[in-house]
Amino acid sequence: MIIQSVREILTTQGRLSTPLSELREDSDLYHAGLTSLATVGLMLALEEEFDIEFPDSMLSRKTFGSIESIVDAIEALQD
Amino acid sequence: MCLSHDVLDEAYRQYQQELVDAGLLLPSGVPGVYGLSGLFEGIIEAFERYVTRMGAHLTPEVVRFPPLLSRDSYLRTDHIETFPDLMGSVHSFVGKEKDHLKLVQKKEAGEGWAESLTPTDVMLVPAACYPLYPTMANSTLPDEGRVVDLRAFVFRHEPSPDPARMQIFRQREYVMLGTAEQAPAHRDYWLKRGEEMLTALGLDVKPVVANDPFFGRGGRVMAATQKEQALKYELVAPIASTEKLTAISSSNCHLDHFGREFNIKTADGQPAHTACIGFGLERITLALLKKHGFDPNAWPVDVRSLLEL
C-alpha cells in the first residue's frame, strides 16, 4: 500500500510536532510541523522508495501538504 | 524576458571591463574577487553613513563581526543543508616538519597540496547576521525586541563574470529579533523605507518576491515554499543589464528559524522571530555608478546632497 509507505517515510523524515497517528489523510502536514527542510528529506526518500522523480512543476508546498496529496502525486507519477 | 546566457555574459564582461578600465575595480585573477578604488570605497562609505542616518531613529545596537564564524555555530544555521555549494571553509596546515616538506614538494610539483590541509575551527560568514545569533543564544528579549545594526564581508562561492556577483562583498543590515508580529513589521517597514532611500538616490528600484538559491532539486521545494509565503523580497535595479535586473537589497523574514535553534525567546517565552533588511554595498555602488556615471562630482545635486558627497 502506497499510503502505508508514505506514513512510514513521514515518521522517519517528517520531524512532525504532531504524532502521525493523530493525522488524517487530508490533515495539513505543514500545520503538523513539517518544515521546508524536512520536505527535502521527505521528497528524496519518496523518490527512492517509489523509484520516481518529482518534476519541477510538482516541487511545491501543495504536493507535500498532506498524506493525500503525496499519494496522489506518487500515483500520477507511477501511471 | 528570457535572455540567452551568451548575451548576458557579454553584457557582464563589457561592464566589468569598463569598471576595470576606469580603475574602479582591480581584478585579482579570480572571477568575483576585486580590489576597489578609493573612489568606489568612498561611495560605499557615503552610502553607509546615509543608512546610519536613516536608521538612527530606531537606536539600533551596533555590532561588527569579522568575516569568520565558528564551525560549530555555522553548523547550527542549516547553511550546510541548504547552500552547501556556496560555503567557504577555512583550512590550514597542521603538521610537523616532514609533513611541511611534503606539502612544499607537492606545491612545487604542481600536485594537489590543498588536500593535505586540515579544517580549522572557522568558516567564512555567509550572511552578515549569522554571527549575531550565537552571541544571543539562551537569552530573553525585552518587550520591544532588539534591533541590531550589522555590517560584514560575506563569502559566497559563486564565481561569475558579472561584476555585481562578487564572491566576497559587504552587507549592511538592520536585524530585528522580536515577536511573530514585530519581525514581519520590521521587514515591511524596511522594504518600503529601503525602496524610498534607493529611489531618492535616483535608482530605478522595484520590490519583487524572491527566493534564496537553495541547493539542488530539494532546494526547489524550499524556494517554492519561500516564495509562496512571500518571506523574501528583493529590491532590484539595472546594473550590467537592463533586462536582467540585479538585487541590490533584500528584506527577509526568517520566521522562528534562528530563535528556535539558538533558544532566543520573546518576553512571553515564545521562540523569537527574526527579520532583516540587507543592503548590498558593492552592488548599490555599482548601480549608482551605472546610473549616474563614473564621476561622482558630476552626479545630480540632490543625490550628492543626500550622500553628503
Side-chain angles (χ1 to χ4, degrees):
Chain A
M1 277 289 279
I2 291 179
I3 193 162
Q4 195 51 42
S5 303
V6 169
R7 279 184 171 273
E8 282 169 20
I9 289 171
L10 267 170
T11 309
T12 56
Q13 300 290 339
R15 303 186 219 164
L16 303 178
S17 46
T18 308
L20 203 62
S21 55
E22 292 177 19
L23 295 178
R24 300 197 320 260
E25 283 177 35
D26 61 350
S27 298
D28 186 329
L29 294 176
Y30 289 98
H31 280 162
L34 184 66
T35 63
S36 54
L37 188 56
T39 308
V40 176
L42 173 65
M43 178 194 84
L44 296 174
L46 291 168
E47 290 190 336
E48 172 91 14
E49 173 71 21
F50 296 102
D51 194 25
I52 52 173
E53 188 171 314
F54 291 99
D56 286 359
S57 59
M58 279 189 175
L59 298 180
S60 70
R61 237 167 125 79
K62 204 172 142 206
T63 304
F64 302 97
S66 69
I67 294 172
E68 195 171 49
S69 64
I70 293 172
V71 172
D72 286 349
I74 294 167
E75 285 177 348
L77 291 171
Q78 284 182 329
D79 279 347
Chain B
M1 183 180 286
C2 193
L3 289 170
S4 81
H5 281 295
D6 289 349
V7 172
L8 256 185
D9 274 3
E10 185 50 37
Y12 291 151
R13 282 178 216 288
Q14 192 182 330
Y15 190 48
Q16 188 206 68
Q17 194 58 51
E18 286 174 34
L19 291 158
V20 169
D21 290 346
L24 290 158
L25 295 187
L26 286 69
S28 70
V30 174
V33 181
Y34 306 95
L36 305 175
S37 75
L39 188 152
F40 196 111
E41 191 65 18
I43 298 168
I44 287 188
E45 288 171 5
F47 181 78
E48 280 220 73
R49 289 192 295 271
Y50 178 52
V51 173
T52 301
R53 289 193 296 276
M54 300 306 275
H57 62 293
L58 301 173
T59 56
E61 302 167 45
V62 179
V63 187
R64 296 290 179 261
F65 290 102
L68 295 173
L69 179 66
S70 86
R71 199 167 285 267
D72 286 345
S73 294
Y74 171 81
L75 290 175
R76 294 178 70 181
T77 62
D78 282 344
H79 190 268
I80 196 169
E81 282 85 357
T82 44
F83 308 103
D85 50 335
L86 302 184
M87 81 163 85
S89 176
V90 180
H91 291 52
S92 190
F93 172 72
V94 178
K96 297 276 193 293
E97 285 81 357
K98 270 190 183 174
D99 306 306
H100 179 219
L101 194 60
K102 281 185 201 160
L103 181 75
V104 174
Q105 283 168 347
K106 281 184 184 171
K107 173 229 154 189
E108 284 172 351
E111 292 171 8
W113 56 271
E115 285 85 9
S116 316
L117 302 181
T118 302
T120 65
D121 289 339
V122 288
M123 301 285 291
L124 297 182
V125 166
C129 64
Y130 277 26
L132 176 69
Y133 308 118
T135 68
M136 292 187 170
N138 307 314
S139 69
T140 299
L141 301 172
D143 287 339
E144 67 279 16
R146 289 172 73 173
V147 177
V148 185
D149 168 339
L150 297 166
R151 187 240 298 129
F153 269 106
V154 302
F155 174 81
R156 293 181 186 177
H157 176 243
E158 42 182 358
S160 161
D162 179 359
R165 189 168 294 284
M166 296 184 181
Q167 294 200 60
I168 186 149
F169 57 95
R170 275 162 287 182
Q171 291 177 333
R172 176 73 185 271
E173 290 197 357
Y174 287 119
V175 179
M176 163 91 202
L177 301 95
T179 64
E181 292 76 36
Q182 288 166 337
H186 174 87
R187 194 279 302 272
D188 294 343
Y189 174 80
W190 275 104
L191 181 63
K192 189 162 180 298
R193 192 164 177 85
E195 184 183 1
E196 289 165 357
M197 284 168 58
L198 295 165
T199 302
L201 296 179
L203 299 177
D204 304 313
V205 288
K206 60 175 182 182
V208 293
V209 177
N211 60 267
D212 288 306
F214 298 108
F215 177 74
R217 292 182 51 251
R220 288 177 193 255
V221 184
M222 302 187 69
T225 303
Q226 193 181 28
K227 271 192 154 170
E228 279 170 45
Q229 296 180 289
L231 296 175
K232 182 181 184 73
Y233 283 86
E234 289 175 343
L235 294 170
V236 297
I239 298 185
S241 162
T242 48
E243 280 87 27
K244 174 90 169 63
L245 302 177
T246 301
I248 58 175
S249 292
S250 79
S251 201
N252 314 315
C253 286
H254 319 128
L255 303 175
D256 59 1
H257 177 71
F258 296 111
R260 274 185 191 279
E261 179 56 42
F262 292 99
N263 189 33
I264 305 167
K265 290 197 162 25
T266 59
D268 62 355
Q270 297 299 309
H273 281 237
T274 56
C276 67
I277 172 84
F279 295 99
L281 298 179
E282 287 80 1
R283 283 187 172 185
I284 287 168
T285 302
L286 288 170
L288 287 167
L289 291 165
K290 183 70 182 182
K291 176 72 183 187
H292 302 306
F294 288 173
D295 178 11
N297 292 319
W299 286 6
V301 174
D302 53 340
V303 173
R304 291 177 49 80
S305 156
L306 274 177
L307 290 176
E308 297 182 356
L309 283 172

